[in-house]
Amino acid sequence: MEKYQLTLSNLWKYIKEIYGDVEVAYLPPHGNNIRSTYGREYERSLRLADGLRRLGIAPGDRVATLDWNTIWHFDLYWAVPGMGAVLHPLNVRLAPEDLVYIINHAQDKALIYHRDFAPLVEKLKPHLKSVQLYIQISDGLGTATRDPEIEDVIKQGEPKPLPEIGEDTVATIGYTSGTTGKPKGAYFTHRALTLHTLVSAVAFAGFRGFARPECTEEQCAFMQLVPMFHVHGWGTPWTFALLGWRQIYPGRFDPNHTVKLIAEEGVKTMAGVPTMLYMLLTAPEFPKYAEKIKAVRPIFVVGGAALPKELAKKAAEAGFIPRVGYGMTETAPILTLGFFRPTEEIPKEVDRYYDLLTATGLPIPLVDLMVVDEGLRPVPRDGRSVGEIVVRAPWVTPEYLGDVEKTREAWRGGWFHTGDVAVWLPDGRVRIVDRAKDVIKSGGEWISSLQLEDLIMTHPAVAQVAVVGVPHEKWGERPVAVVVLKPGASATEQDIIKHLEKFVEAGKIPKWWLPDKIIFTTQLPLTGTGKIDKKVLREQYKEVLR
């Protein structure tokens, strides 16, 4: 018998047949609204695939995107993998130097970009070795360069059926943020992403106490807040299409615009990093829509960083239903979600409830997860014994592109090593307590402490430096640099910041990486092996930004 292929294309055909009349809306802050349907976007995605083929994109070619959460990005999610090519969403927040490295390393043949990034793309072009085709998404605002416009590509294409492709065909690639060296590339097949979509749909539709809002299919609306350049937008563009929900794409994230859409469109579910949730709760326009939001009672799934208990409580008071998920770039991304077993009693005691709510959660189906010691032995499920989270799942990347050594290190012992340190709770939940590497997570984005330290060390007055992440109410964590000056040398906080700003201007680091504070000291604490003890520094300065 012929093996039926698990592909995104086959899911897309099903969605068109069953949910063809369900709305897909693009409602950006600038007001050029588009209200479409799955059926209409299905046809547009076929035309887009054919238009790209006519421009020279063939199966196996890699197509990079620099875009917000637009309806064109949604079409590209289906069209590019559907034609047998490889979708490569680029993180728009990376430094130009990292974008050049990633595009060249991935050997992207095409770059499709939003007009907002036209100046950036013009600066990148001379350094991009493999890109042969540039296409702009003008977003109804007019083109900013002479590159072809995506709507013209769609109009020139025909709605030809997508080709039959194998489920082991690579569908997407994505890169880590390069927190411990150069960014690493991970890839995902159609089979991996189809299984991830199916299991995610089961989770959102049926897990007790997780999603399953009180609404009919016609009323259920999902808003894509997670940037679509973050690990497939956490897979939700595909997942909520399969569920037949209305989908709303709000363009570039704007807190005031978002709270308005939640209230006026009756958004029932969304997802994002804790900073996004914080920004919604503190948006100047929030009081105007507070009562409507309480009536809607939207679910907000938090991932990308730990959900602080106080933020979860504030969200609940404001009418949101906070939930938690966990994953990473290499895992497509979902590994765990904060749901309850059918026979499990949901705690009535407030602190206990939020302890469970903000834990990393339980594995979703087909995820094999352990918390282990250095010998790959499971740690006791006592909530105290610390170990590393290791996983196996059909959607975990099998390797890093072109990096045998990093692949071997990540997959040692037959398990993927996440680098996240956690405890295992008696009920099977995991709670992340630290990171194996001293990266800083600010607003859901990674900041490399090592890279900042290297740049600060180039200042002629600096002898030693340690950069650590300290708690921040809005961003979760922000970098603070602790500096030891050379004997007889002098420098001020502003001197160090101005020194770093030179590297921002040179495109080596983004501006938001700049430390919030520079602290001068005469000696840095050391571990027994002579290394700087960052745990001591994090504890010592944990209140410095409050």
Side-chain angles (χ1 to χ4, degrees), residues 14 128 171 240 252 277 310 316 386 429-430 452 479 521 543:
Y14 174 84
L128 303 182
F240 283 91
R252 183 175 184 172
L277 179 57
E310 289 306 310
V386 174
R429 285 178 173 82
V430 291
L452 280 177
T521 185
E543 304 289 338

Side-chain angles (χ1 to χ4, degrees), residues 393-448:
W395 45 81
V396 178
T397 188
E399 61 180 317
Y400 290 117
L401 291 168
D403 199 327
V404 176
E405 183 179 337
K406 289 281 174 51
T407 298
R408 188 183 299 115
E409 179 184 345
W411 275 102
R412 58 190 184 277
W415 291 77
F416 181 79
H417 291 249
T418 67
D420 287 316
V421 177
V423 294
W424 219 346
L425 304 179
D427 60 7
R429 285 178 173 82
V430 291
R431 180 185 294 279
I432 294 176
V433 296
D434 204 348
R435 299 185 183 93
K437 300 177 178 68
D438 293 312
V439 293
I440 299 159
K441 186 164 281 188
S442 182
E445 298 284 343
W446 294 103
I447 296 175
S448 171

Side-chain angles (χ1 to χ4, degrees), residues 179-181 438-439 447-455 467 534:
T179 53
T180 56
D438 293 312
V439 293
I447 296 175
S448 171
S449 62
L450 296 177
Q451 190 172 351
L452 280 177
E453 287 164 2
D454 287 343
L455 296 178
V467 176
K534 291 190 175 182

Side-chain angles (χ1 to χ4, degrees), residues 529-544:
T529 57
K531 297 179 181 179
I532 296 172
D533 196 338
K534 291 190 175 182
K535 291 187 180 67
V536 172
L537 291 175
R538 281 193 288 265
E539 178 64 24
Q540 184 176 352
Y541 296 112
K542 64 182 180 182
E543 304 289 338
V544 74

Side-chain angles (χ1 to χ4, degrees), residues 181-342:
K182 289 294 185 183
K184 300 185 292 291
Y187 68 83
F188 307 91
T189 64
H190 277 262
R191 180 179 185 273
L193 295 179
T194 298
L195 288 171
H196 184 272
T197 301
L198 290 167
V199 171
S200 298
V202 169
F204 279 96
F207 280 8
R208 177 171 175 257
F210 181 70
R212 203 164 49 179
E214 297 176 1
C215 59
T216 65
E217 286 183 351
E218 293 77 17
Q219 295 171 326
C220 282
F222 173 80
M223 182 156 55
Q224 184 66 44
L225 287 191
V226 178
M228 294 172 75
F229 52 77
H230 267 188
V231 209
H232 315 117
W234 298 357
T236 48
W238 297 313
T239 297
F240 283 91
L242 182 60
L243 288 171
W245 282 37
R246 288 176 57 222
Q247 286 201 59
I248 296 168
Y249 288 78
R252 183 175 184 172
F253 178 67
D254 178 298
N256 285 325
H257 181 63
T258 300
V259 296
K260 176 185 177 183
L261 289 179
I262 294 170
E264 295 184 351
E265 297 292 324
V267 174
K268 284 290 186 180
T269 301
M270 69 208 84
V273 298
T275 300
M276 282 182 160
L277 179 57
Y278 174 88
M279 293 172 76
L280 294 183
L281 298 177
T282 57
E285 292 285 304
F286 185 86
K288 180 178 177 180
Y289 301 102
E291 291 306 314
K292 284 188 177 180
I293 290 174
K294 283 185 177 180
V296 173
R297 283 184 54 75
I299 293 165
F300 196 108
V301 182
V302 171
L307 174 61
K309 282 204 290 187
E310 289 306 310
L311 180 58
K313 291 176 182 178
K314 287 180 180 178
E317 291 168 1
F320 289 89
I321 302 173
R323 293 292 180 262
V324 169
Y326 164 66
M328 55 198 307
T329 299
E330 296 92 333
T331 64
I334 303 177
L335 295 172
T336 71
L337 293 171
F339 62 94
F340 294 90
R341 295 180 176 87

Side-chain angles (χ1 to χ4, degrees), residues 343-359:
T343 56
E344 189 175 11
E345 183 177 349
I346 298 177
K348 295 179 181 178
E349 199 272 317
V350 174
D351 283 342
R352 173 60 179 158
Y353 171 75
Y354 280 101
D355 277 341
L356 289 181
L357 176 68
T358 57

Side-chain angles (χ1 to χ4, degrees), residues 11 13-24 37-40 217 240-245:
L11 285 184
K13 284 190 291 186
Y14 174 84
I15 292 160
K16 182 262 298 185
E17 289 294 332
I18 305 301
Y19 304 120
D21 295 331
V22 176
E23 183 180 65
V24 181
T37 63
Y38 285 124
R40 196 173 303 145
E217 286 183 351
F240 283 91
L242 182 60
L243 288 171
W245 282 37

